[in-house]
Amino acid sequence: MSRYAIIDIGGKQLRVERGRFYDVRHLVPIRNTLKPDGEMVINRVLLICNGSSINFGHPWLRDAAVRGRILHSCVGKKLVIQRIHPKRKTRHIFGCRGDMIRFVIDSIHFGGKNLGED
């Protein structure tokens, strides 16, 4: 029996399961309000799979929510950009890291029921 949900967060779609942690970028509207060990509720649920039943949203499911906790903020892998001008014999190396937030999924709710409990 697999129970998972597909959510829309940070401009990306994630397949989330209860008890696992994920890294997300671009939480700009709520970045200042997020603190470690803070609760978050995601209402933009696209799909919920509960065993053999699958529920699709158009575009989102109305009575579905995914609840989680924020663990900490972190940075992603470094993106290195090199610009090489061979005739001028010059090189420019740039790098950047994206700000990310790591969170864990506590429960998936649909229709007033918690799907994570057996």
Side-chain angles (χ1 to χ4, degrees), residues 45-87:
V45 181
L46 301 168
L47 176 136
I48 288 183
C49 179
N50 185 13
S52 61
S53 68
I54 297 174
N55 299 311
F56 292 99
H58 184 73
W60 301 294
L61 291 167
R62 289 183 186 210
D63 51 354
V66 175
R67 297 178 187 262
R69 270 180 299 123
I70 297 170
L71 296 177
H72 55 82
S73 61
C74 54
V75 292
K77 291 185 177 180
K78 188 167 190 175
L79 178 66
V80 178
I81 302 164
Q82 295 184 1
R83 291 188 182 168
I84 301 171
H85 302 283
K87 305 258 174 162

